Every structure is written in C-alpha cells, then in structure tokens.
Amino acid sequence: AAKKAGRNTFRFFTQDMNQRSAEFLLLDNHLRQALVNQEFLLYYQPQIDIKTREVIGMEALMRWRHPDLGLVPPNRFIPAAEETGLIVPMGEWVLHEACRQNKAWQRAGLLHAPVAVNVSARQFAERLEDVTTKALQDAGLAPEWLELEVTESTLMDDVNEAILTLGALKRMGVRLSIDDFGTGYSSLNYLKRFPLDKLKVDRSFVIDILDDPDDAAIAGAVVSLAKNLRLKVIAEGVETAEQLDFLEQLGCDEMQGFLVAPPIPADKVPEFLAQWRKKPV
Ligand code: C2E
Ligand code: MG
Ligand code: MG
Ligand code: MG
C-alpha cells in the first residue's frame, strides 16, 4: 500500500517507522538490561475491607529504578514490554518477588492477607499456571495468599482459552479478579463462565462518583452485578472520605486508594500496618 501511494509517502513512512522502531529497540534493550541488573522493584498498595477497616490485601505494583531517570512508573515501560514480549520474564519476576515478600511478611507476623499481582495478556497466554505454581513453590506460599488481576480484554482475547486457564488457576486455589472492570468490552454472558472471585471497579468511575450521576450509576451497577454473581467487589482510586461513604452506601465491600495509602515501597509497609492498626481512616 505504501509503494502504491508513491515515492514520497513511502519515504516518510519508512522514516517514521525507523524512528519509532529505533526508540523502541532502545527501550527494549534498556528493559532487558534492567531485568538483568535487577532495577525493577515492587511497591504495595493496601486494600481495605470497608466494614471492618481490616487490611485484606496488598496490590503489587511494578516500578523501575532507572540509574539516571529515577523511579519510572509502569505506564512508561509496561506497554513496550507487552509489545516485545519482555513482559513475560518481567512478570515472572514480579510473581516470584510478590510471593516471596508476602511469605516474609506472614512469617514475621506482620500481615495475613493475600498479595494481588497484575498479569498481562501475554503472560496469561503463556502457561501462567506453570509460572504461578513455580513462584508459589519457591516462596513456600499457599495458593490462597495469591490473587491474580487480569483485565477484561485479556479474558476476551480468547474466551475458551481464558476459561481453561482460569479454571486451572482456580483449581490450584489461586484467587482471581478482573481489573479496571467496566472500561473494557466484556460480555456479561461470559462473566458467569469465568471462575472469578472479585471485580475491581475502575478508578475512572470513582473520581466523579459524587458529581456525575452516570458514573454513580455505573459504579452501582458493577456492585450489584458482583453481588448477584456472588463475587466480591473492590473500588479502585478512592481518594476522599465522601467517595468512600458513597461506595459503602452502594454496598461495595472493599476499597483501595490514596485515602488509605498510595502504593508504598516494601520496606515502608510494616510502618503503614502499625499505624493503620492504631488509627484506621
Ligand atoms: P492498576 O492495576 O489498575 O493499578 C492501579 C493504579 O492506580 C496504580 O498505578 C495506582 O498507583 C493508581 N492508584 C491507586 N489508588 C489511586 C488513587 O487514589 N488515585 C490515583 N490517582 N491513582 C491511584 P500504577 O502503580 O502507576 O500502575 C499503573 C498500571 O500499570 C496498573 O494499573 C497496571 O495495569 C500496570 N501494572 C503495574 N504493575 C504491573 C505488573 O507488575 N505487571 C503488569 N502486567 N502490569 C502492571
Ligand atoms: Mg491492578
Ligand atoms: Mg485497575
Ligand atoms: Mg489499569
């Protein structure tokens, strides 16, 4: 098609492509090196039971400590890693590290709640059961302490394959949740065929939940849907006490967000837990 459009178009096309792929290769190289140099680390964001105010989970969120750029957030490097496939070994590291850390906190008597790990489509499609089994075994962690977060699009990529993978993970005893629920396209008809434990109400519906009746309606619908399917429901991105009250009224079970804590480095987690025990929000 580029050839047909004439020489000029072709030239511009290849220039763009070259520049884009050059940048891409550079980032890919840096990410490969970062994995070898152990520049990735996990931050943890607490998840709270709205009724009891207990810590019921910790979500592991990846960061890249770049020697020059400092702390790089995941939206700056995960999309590239997903495209090149490097997310597979990176995600494997995340699973191992999250399980190891959870076990260490439990051994120290600091925490008795699962760790939630985000999983990309590529990882999901490449024998996630095996990688998960290995991570749990290496950490000596029982499967019930691990929750895997997948998005609707990951599940809808290949529904029959997804049902098999989720089924295998469920039989192992791992917990399963859908992240960013409501932002992807997912067929409600398939939802009942996925052996899930939890839906995560996307942050975009929480931000304006007090002022935008449409967002409130969608959040309410997700909560009802979860209840009727006998799933737990957690709201992401809760920043104010008013948002929390509103979600509690809707019957939402759990929450995470800046109101309680942003994602925090692993070594600051004990301090957070001690403080939270003394004075929950
Ligand atoms: P996510 O899994 O939906 O994680 C929630 C994101 O919302 C996190 O951003 C978190 O810091 C942010 N957040 C939490 N509470 C609040 C709040 O009250 N207000 C605001 N404004 N933001 C809040 P983060 O850590 O930058 O991660 C972004 C995304 O990167 C994650 O979205 C997830 O999709 C992806 N990600 C992070 N770690 C991993 C990983 O290990 N593997 C994979 N595959 N993806 C990851
Ligand atoms: Mg998540
Ligand atoms: Mg999310
Ligand atoms: Mg997200």
Side-chain angles (χ1 to χ4, degrees):
K3 218 171 172 182
K4 226 178 181 178
R7 201 168 275 167
N8 267 356
T9 318
F10 184 67
R11 189 161 47 90
F12 282 117
F13 180 66
T14 52
Q15 259 176 5
D16 273 7
M17 285 299 286
N18 282 338
Q19 190 176 339
R20 190 178 158 338
S21 52
E23 277 169 12
F24 205 78
L25 274 178
L26 197 64
L27 182 54
D28 183 51
N29 270 329
H30 285 161
L31 287 173
R32 269 169 216 283
Q33 210 49 57
L35 193 55
V36 173
N37 296 349
Q38 299 181 297
E39 289 170 11
F40 296 115
L41 67 164
L42 297 180
Y43 273 39
Y44 292 90
Q45 188 177 39
Q47 302 176 322
I48 304 294
D49 182 302
I50 293 179
K51 277 215 183 74
T52 66
R53 296 296 201 258
E54 271 174 301
V55 176
I56 47 82
M58 284 281 176
E59 180 173 1
L61 294 155
M62 204 179 343
R63 300 289 182 267
W64 177 12
R65 187 171 328 275
H66 190 282
D68 306 322
L69 301 175
L71 208 60
V72 184
N75 62 358
R76 296 274 306 280
F77 62 87
I78 284 182
E82 282 173 339
E83 230 177 292
T84 62
L86 196 63
I87 193 65
V88 176
M90 280 164 65
E92 197 169 336
W93 174 81
V94 172
L95 268 167
H96 276 81
E97 175 57 18
C99 290
R100 185 203 63 75
Q101 182 65 79
N102 187 272
K103 183 71 188 187
W105 282 332
Q106 296 215 44
R107 274 213 184 100
L110 283 166
L111 181 73
H112 290 281
V115 64
V117 172
N118 294 282
V119 171
S120 291
R122 289 283 275 267
Q123 285 175 274
F124 191 78
E126 290 186 30
R127 297 179 305 105
L128 182 60
E129 313 92 284
D130 300 352
V131 173
T132 303
T133 303
K134 183 78 170 42
L136 289 167
Q137 271 173 1
D138 287 357
L141 190 70
E144 76 234 45
W145 300 111
L146 176 64
E147 178 169 313
L148 298 176
E149 298 190 0
V150 294
T151 62
E152 293 164 90
S153 56
T154 294
L155 297 178
M156 297 305 295
D157 263 0
D158 183 340
V159 169
N160 291 318
E161 200 55 43
I163 291 169
L164 291 177
T165 303
L166 291 177
L169 290 163
K170 188 80 235 169
R171 280 192 300 280
M172 279 170 57
V174 169
R175 305 181 193 213
L176 303 165
S177 62
I178 302 193
D179 205 351
D180 307 337
F181 190 78
T183 60
Y185 90 101
S186 70
S187 159
L188 298 182
N189 186 42
Y190 285 122
L191 212 49
K192 68 175 185 193
R193 296 181 55 199
F194 296 139
L196 299 164
D197 298 283
K198 197 182 286 187
L199 298 183
K200 301 194 73 177
V201 181
D202 190 66
R203 186 160 69 84
S204 61
F205 305 119
V206 175
I207 296 173
D208 289 328
I209 201 166
L210 298 174
D211 304 315
D212 186 337
D214 294 342
D215 287 340
I218 294 170
V222 173
V223 171
S224 311
L225 179 65
K227 301 257 137 155
N228 288 320
L229 292 173
R230 294 166 303 279
L231 305 176
K232 286 274 184 192
V233 57
I234 183 166
E236 303 185 279
V238 180
E239 296 187 356
T240 69
E242 290 73 24
Q243 291 169 344
L244 178 56
D245 287 346
F246 196 98
L247 286 156
E248 189 168 14
Q249 299 288 313
L250 290 180
C252 189
D253 303 308
E254 302 168 359
M255 58 85 62
Q256 66 184 100
F258 294 174
L259 175 64
V260 169
I264 46 186
D267 62 351
K268 293 285 188 320
V269 165
E271 198 180 310
F272 163 81
L273 291 170
Q275 244 175 291
W276 183 255
R277 220 167 289 125
K278 267 189 271 166
K279 193 181 176 301
V281 168

